[in-house]
Amino acid sequence: SYAVALTGFSIFLALSSKTPWPSLDDVRAMPWWAPFGGLIGGAAVLGMIAVARYVGVATFSALVIVGEMVVALIMDHFGLMGFEQRSATAPRFVACGLITVAIYLMSDTRKARS
């Protein structure tokens, strides 16, 4: 699936992009953390393949969402990656907690007890 996606995306970029591809200098000038987006995306796909069949697709998707919410809360609080700083307030923590409770309710706990 990666090969098909890479091929399709490359063709799309080649046909639709009017801007030149990044040069080696552009790659050297990018922030140190920039390549991690692709690596984390690959890890998420591997996690989906390995874990989703045991916990269910809905529960796995909810786990991904709560993970993203927690990381976003941290990024906002510290103003990471150039984002405007927004405090991690009690209501924001409660929201992350409620999403976590929703994951527990979504998981099929009765099946696990059988």
Side-chain angles (χ1 to χ4, degrees), residues 34-72:
F36 289 103
L39 294 173
I40 292 171
V45 171
L46 290 176
M48 176 73 151
I49 293 167
V51 176
R53 69 174 151 168
Y54 298 108
V55 299
V57 176
T59 302
F60 182 83
S61 295
L63 286 167
V64 168
I65 291 168
V66 79
E68 291 173 348
M69 294 298 295
V70 169
V71 170

Side-chain angles (χ1 to χ4, degrees), residues 2-93:
Y2 281 116
V4 172
L6 178 64
T7 302
F9 191 63
S10 296
I11 291 169
F12 172 78
L13 280 177
L15 296 177
S16 67
S17 181
K18 295 192 184 342
T19 58
W21 285 71
S23 68
L24 194 54
D25 289 333
D26 294 331
V27 173
R28 286 186 185 126
M30 72 181 177
W32 65 268
W33 45 261
F36 289 103
L39 294 173
I40 292 171
V45 171
L46 290 176
M48 176 73 151
I49 293 167
V51 176
R53 69 174 151 168
Y54 298 108
V55 299
V57 176
T59 302
F60 182 83
S61 295
L63 286 167
V64 168
I65 291 168
V66 79
E68 291 173 348
M69 294 298 295
V70 169
V71 170
L73 187 66
I74 293 167
M75 289 175 68
D76 274 351
H77 183 74
F78 293 107
L80 301 177
M81 297 174 59
F83 286 101
E84 181 181 332
Q85 194 169 357
R86 291 183 170 89
S87 296
T89 60
R92 297 179 92 194
F93 279 116

